[in-house]
Amino acid sequence: ASVRDMQEKYANKGYLRAEINPVKTLDEKTSELNINFDITENNIVFIDNIDITGNESTKTYVFSRELTIKEGQIFNYAQVKRSQQKILNLGFINDAQIDITPSNDTSKVDVGYNIVEGRPGMFTAGIAMSSLDGLYGDVSINHLNLFGKAQRLSLRAMFGSRILDYTI
C-alpha cells in the first residue's frame, strides 16, 4: 500500500513511470526491520491524446467538457481520476473506465475513457389523499440526457378534484 501511494504521488507530478523498490534490512542487534525505498523517477510523462469511447447516444463533446486534463499537459493522475468522477456525476453514466496506454513517443501516454451509458429517463406515478386537496394523482417524467447533449427535461402533473398543477 505504501509503494502504491508513493507511485500515485509521483504520478500526480508527471512521473508516471517512477520505479519504487523497498529495500528491507534486518538490524541484528535490535531485531528491527528497516525499510528504505530506492526511487528512480525516470522522465516526466505528458498526455498525448485523450480518447472517449463507448458512448452511444451522448455526444462526445459532452464528456470532453467535463475533463480537467488537456492534451500536451504534464500527466497528473489526480486530474485523470477527477475527470472520471465528473463524467460519472453526469447522472446517466454507469461506468467510465480509465485506459492509460503508451504512445509512440516514450515521454507521452494516451488517456482513454471507456463510457458505459445508463438509462437517462425516469417515469413515476402515484396517488395520494390529503385533507386539503382530497384525492389526487401525481405523474412525472424526467430525462437527464435530452438529444444526447446532457440537457435535462422534467415534466410533472398533479391532478385531482381540487388540484391541477403542471410543471415543466
Side-chain angles (χ1 to χ4, degrees):
S2 296
V3 171
R4 185 188 67 239
D5 290 345
M6 283 190 272
Q7 284 176 327
E8 190 172 313
K9 293 283 186 195
Y10 272 91
N12 289 342
K13 303 282 187 195
Y15 296 100
L16 183 61
R17 295 187 178 102
E19 296 173 22
I20 301 171
N21 298 311
V23 178
K24 301 171 189 173
T25 56
L26 180 63
D27 187 343
E28 299 287 335
K29 293 178 185 175
T30 62
S31 297
E32 292 178 346
L33 182 66
N34 295 320
I35 302 174
N36 293 313
F37 293 95
D38 182 23
I39 300 173
T40 306
E41 291 179 344
N42 293 318
N43 295 333
I44 289 181
V45 175
F46 295 87
I47 297 173
D48 192 18
N49 293 309
I50 301 171
D51 299 315
I52 297 170
T53 59
N55 50 319
E56 296 170 5
S57 60
T58 308
K59 310 279 189 246
T60 302
Y61 74 85
V62 170
F63 302 112
S64 297
R65 71 182 179 206
E66 298 298 319
L67 299 179
T68 58
I69 58 173
K70 302 284 185 246
E71 293 176 352
Q73 81 177 41
I74 293 175
F75 183 88
N76 183 324
Y77 187 67
Q79 285 183 339
V80 170
K81 293 289 286 178
R82 175 72 181 129
S83 295
Q84 177 191 36
Q85 190 59 51
K86 287 184 73 169
I87 289 171
L88 292 170
N89 287 346
L90 287 170
F92 53 89
I93 303 301
N94 286 348
D95 198 10
Q97 292 292 319
I98 299 171
D99 181 31
I100 301 168
T101 56
S103 180
N104 293 338
D105 185 347
T106 58
S107 67
K108 296 180 180 180
V109 292
D110 295 333
V111 177
Y113 293 93
N114 189 13
I115 307 296
V116 178
E117 296 183 53
R119 299 187 189 275
M122 274 188 294
F123 174 79
T124 58
I127 296 176
M129 178 72 155
S130 159
S131 61
L132 182 64
D133 298 322
L135 184 66
Y136 66 94
D138 183 12
V139 176
S140 73
I141 299 171
N142 295 309
H143 200 286
L144 303 175
N145 190 17
L146 196 63
F147 308 120
K149 297 180 179 181
Q151 296 173 338
R152 299 171 189 258
L153 175 66
S154 178
L155 306 169
R156 182 178 184 195
M158 291 174 49
F159 52 88
S161 59
R162 297 183 191 167
I163 186 170
L164 184 59
D165 186 20
Y166 297 98
T167 306
I168 297 176

